[in-house]
Amino acid sequence: MSDESTVQHGPHGYSGDKAALLGRLRRIEGQIRGLQRMVDEDTYCIDVLTQISAAKSALQAVAVGLLEDHLAHCVVDAARAGDPSAKVKEASDAIARLVRS
């Protein structure tokens, strides 16, 4: 995307905790591989659905953490610079997408 809101502007709020974030995403990736294995092994439907729910919850937790970092860093920095309206709109749109999912 070439949209102004997605242009890279240097270190992001999550940069300081990147290793932990990547670790969480790797665990989620492992959960997804486990789901593939469960389906391949004809695991009981409810057990697969339970694991899907767990993976979705883990992704949601990562998303909320990223949103918190965005608010604490990107939006606050924009407010200090004088006009946070674009960053607030960006955050509002992200929240709306999370709520819909």
Side-chain angles (χ1 to χ4, degrees):
M1 283 189 218
S2 62
D3 180 65
E4 174 70 24
S5 66
T6 60
V7 175
Q8 302 294 325
H9 293 290
H12 299 286
Y14 63 80
S15 295
D17 206 19
K18 191 187 253 185
L21 178 61
L22 288 170
R24 291 179 84 178
L25 290 170
R26 285 186 190 104
R27 282 191 295 281
I28 294 167
E29 181 182 21
Q31 284 180 292
I32 301 304
R33 281 193 307 272
L35 280 164
Q36 292 171 332
R37 188 171 42 256
M38 291 173 79
V39 170
D40 187 49
E41 295 172 356
D42 293 319
T43 302
Y44 184 58
C45 305
I46 298 301
D47 294 339
V48 175
L49 290 169
T50 298
Q51 290 306 309
I52 289 171
S53 178
K56 185 177 174 183
S57 293
L59 276 172
Q60 193 78 7
V62 169
V64 168
L66 285 171
L67 182 59
E68 288 173 349
D69 287 342
H70 179 70
L71 293 171
H73 296 278
C74 301
V75 175
V76 168
D77 289 348
R80 287 185 184 133
D83 186 13
S85 58
K87 292 295 181 185
V88 169
K89 171 85 169 96
E90 186 179 60
S92 296
D93 291 347
I95 292 166
R97 286 190 302 273
L98 286 172
V99 170
R100 282 193 304 265
S101 65

